[in-house]
């Protein structure tokens, strides 16, 4: 059976990446759109066969409660709007898949989790790499001990940001800079690759505040993560250079990925001692990482299971990001609460 999704926010991700993915899904279909631009919504609806009665805007959004076609709402809005549109969806009796980062603060994450729990609805965060074959294979290799005892994890994630007017550079809309948007991939990967939760962080920020892009949010932030087993995570996040890399080093070998978390074209080498071999992973759970993600949420609803990347996963990242910002600000190591 296919459950019906409503996409909220027809921007580059909701419209450009998610909408075309339903054709690859087994348990998910696109049935409704929520947009501030009626003409655009109508055009997109025609393209995807969405009935006109299932088009909503930000004002009449709550009326989705009366629409049995919609099972799941997919929130693809600027970060500062995630909490409001998740909570309104839960109150309207809908399950929610919300994009990363989950919200602008851990307090907002907590209110989203509470609202979904109160409404008895599932909440999942759009961590697509948990459905991406290269990331799944690297995680399997690391956790199976195939490169020995893990010693360190390294990752750089960034892209060269050009548009100084973008919402991602406005603190109120984005919650922060590169760390919230792209550094979160390094942080989340450090956690799922090691299978451990960091116990302390230390971070350093480098931002040219005279650069018109970085008046409100950070450009580059480097952070160290300490894990209980002794593994060290060493990560760079930036908005001033293109970089997408993960390296996992164990006492018997290593896994390297570059690009590591891309939409496509990811590559991976396994080995060590100068004898790395390129590896092609087995297929992931879906035809694409997005189909795997969309269908996982639908299956969780159908089978009453918790999503593997639920609200708690988003909240954990936000708590660590807050500690990273605090560490950079106060120039000291921050111990994380268990
Ligand atoms: P975008 O700017 O392209 O789209 C945002 C949409 O929100 C637009 O349709 C815009 O009209 C709408 N919107 C409503 N109110 C707005 C306001 N006040 N200001 C700006 N836009 C407003 O952004 P995007 O790249 O599609 O990102 C949307 C979400 O998706 C973000 O949370 C982002 O982090 C996430 N995202 C995730 C991935 C991923 O790989 N998982 C990739 C890209 C984006």
């Amino acid at each position: 059976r296919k459950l019906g999704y409503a996409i909220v926010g027809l921007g580059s991700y909701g419209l450009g990446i998610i909408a075309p993915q339903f054709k690859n899904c087994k348990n998910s279909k696109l049935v409704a759109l929520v947009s501030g631009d009626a003409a655009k919504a109508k055009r997109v609806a025609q393209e995807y066969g969405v009935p006109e009665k299932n088009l909503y805007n930000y004002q009449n959004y709550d009326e989705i409660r009366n629409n049995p076609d919609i099972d799941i709402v997919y929130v693809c809005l600027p970060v500062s709007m995630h909490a409001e549109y998740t909570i309104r969806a839960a109150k309207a009796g809908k399950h929610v898949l919300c994009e990363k980062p989950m919200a602008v603060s851990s307090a907002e994450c907590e209110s989203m989790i509470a609202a979904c729990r109160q409404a008895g609805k599932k909440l999942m965060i759009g961590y697509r790499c948990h459905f991406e074959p290269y990331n799944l294979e690297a995680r399997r290799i690391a956790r199976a001990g195939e490169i020995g005892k893990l010693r360190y994890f390294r990752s750089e994630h960034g892209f060269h940001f050009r548009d100084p007017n973008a919402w991602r550079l406005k603190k109120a809309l984005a919650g922060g800079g590169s760390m919230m948007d792209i550094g979160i991939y390094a942080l989340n990967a450090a956690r799922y690759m090691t299978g451990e939760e960091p116990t302390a962080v230390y971070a350093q920020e480098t931002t040219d505040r005279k650069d018109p892009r970085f008046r409100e949010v950070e450009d580059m932030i480097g952070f160290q993560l300490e894990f209980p087993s002794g593994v060290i995570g060493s990560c760079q996040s930036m908005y001033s250079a293109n970089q997408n890399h993960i390296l996992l080093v164990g006492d018997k070998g290593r896994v390297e990925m570059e690009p590591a978390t891309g939409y496509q074209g990811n590559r991976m080498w396994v080995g060590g001692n100068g004898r790395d071999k390129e590896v092609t992973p087995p297929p992931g759970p879906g035809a694409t990482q997005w189909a795997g993600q969309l269908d996982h949420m639908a299956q969780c609803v159908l089978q009453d299971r918790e999503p593997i990347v639920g609200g708690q996963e988003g909240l954990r990242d936000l708590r660590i990001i807050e500690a990273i910002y605090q560490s950079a600000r106060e120039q000291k190591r921050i111990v994380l609460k268990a």
Side-chain angles (χ1 to χ4, degrees), residues 254 271-276:
R254 60 184 220 160
N273 300 322
R275 286 195 292 270
D276 290 4

Side-chain angles (χ1 to χ4, degrees), residues 136-156:
L136 293 176
E137 180 64 358
R139 182 176 72 175
R140 187 198 65 72
I141 291 169
R143 295 217 203 162
E146 290 180 18
I147 54 171
K149 183 174 159 53
L150 279 186
R151 301 309 301 132
Y152 69 89
F153 168 96
R154 207 179 85 200
S155 178
E156 300 88 34

Side-chain angles (χ1 to χ4, degrees), residues 9-14 58 76-79 81-82 99-101 126 128 167-168 173 181 185 263:
L10 301 178
S12 59
Y13 200 64
Y58 300 118
C76 295
L77 293 165
V79 187
M81 300 170 78
H82 289 184
E99 258 316 311
K100 51 52 62 181
R128 60 181 168 74
W167 65 260
R168 280 181 172 78
L173 285 162
D181 190 59
Y185 284 91
Y263 287 169

Side-chain angles (χ1 to χ4, degrees), residues 5 57 111 118 143 155 200 259 315:
Y5 270 86
N57 55 44
S111 62
Q118 239 167 41
R143 295 217 203 162
S155 178
L315 169 61

Side-chain angles (χ1 to χ4, degrees), residues 149-183:
K149 183 174 159 53
L150 279 186
R151 301 309 301 132
Y152 69 89
F153 168 96
R154 207 179 85 200
S155 178
E156 300 88 34
H157 270 77
F159 60 91
H160 196 122
F161 213 111
R162 288 175 202 285
D163 175 9
N165 300 313
W167 65 260
R168 280 181 172 78
L169 300 178
K170 308 269 181 271
K171 179 102 195 305
L173 285 162
S178 75
M179 184 64 225
M180 291 288 280
D181 190 59
I182 184 81

